[in-house]
Amino acid sequence: MKHKKYNISVEATLEVIGGKWKCVILCHLMRGKKRTSELRRLMPDITQKMLTQQLRELESDGVINRIVYNQVPPKVEYELSEYGESLESILNSLCTWGDGHITKVYGNKFDMLEESILNE
């Protein structure tokens, strides 16, 4: 099997957490386990199809764990894996930079951010 070569290491990082939704999902999971329905409520603009796809990719990359409970009705939760927890400092840095960017461009960041537990 031939392995992909990267120009720089950040490409490997972005391959795993890049895109519009993966970092948002990971930020929510940093606060604890979530069911799919909880993630949909926390991210109302994501489609169910996109959420499912992103969760599958994050699980495939070993960043999150999918926990299936053997019960009726079926229950599935997602959590950060130990490997995924290693992304916490990166995600916090992205949020800090985003706060500064919003303030620089728009002024008061709270005028530009949706009400969310992540924006407190």
Side-chain angles (χ1 to χ4, degrees):
M1 174 166 60
K2 188 174 181 179
H3 294 282
K4 179 177 181 174
K5 288 214 172 191
Y6 300 98
N7 290 312
I8 60 172
S9 298
V10 74
E11 286 182 73
T13 305
L14 291 174
E15 189 172 78
V16 174
I17 66 168
K20 182 176 180 178
W21 297 110
K22 287 183 180 177
C23 285
V24 179
I25 292 167
L26 293 170
C27 285
H28 284 297
L29 293 179
M30 281 190 340
R31 293 180 168 259
K33 292 179 188 175
K34 300 281 184 287
R35 296 179 73 169
T36 308
S37 58
E38 290 176 277
L39 289 168
R40 281 278 288 133
R41 276 193 298 279
L42 292 166
M43 303 181 323
D45 293 337
I46 193 171
T47 64
Q48 182 64 47
K49 179 181 176 184
M50 180 58 69
L51 177 59
T52 300
Q53 178 184 334
Q54 301 295 280
L55 288 169
R56 284 182 183 153
E57 290 176 12
L58 290 166
E59 181 186 14
S60 174
D61 288 326
V63 177
I64 64 172
N65 296 322
R66 182 176 187 261
I67 305 157
V68 180
Y69 296 90
N70 190 15
Q71 67 182 47
V72 176
K75 179 180 175 182
V76 176
E77 290 182 324
Y78 294 91
E79 67 180 359
L80 286 180
S81 66
E82 187 176 330
Y83 184 53
E85 289 173 0
S86 69
L87 291 166
E88 188 170 355
S89 63
I90 293 170
L91 296 169
N92 287 334
S93 293
L94 287 170
C95 287
T96 300
W97 190 90
D99 284 345
H101 175 71
I102 291 170
T103 301
K104 179 180 188 282
V105 174
Y106 302 104
N108 184 352
K109 74 175 186 175
F110 294 106
D111 290 340
M112 302 307 298
L113 292 172
E114 296 283 343
E115 282 189 36
S116 167
I117 192 165
L118 295 179
N119 293 331
E120 294 176 348

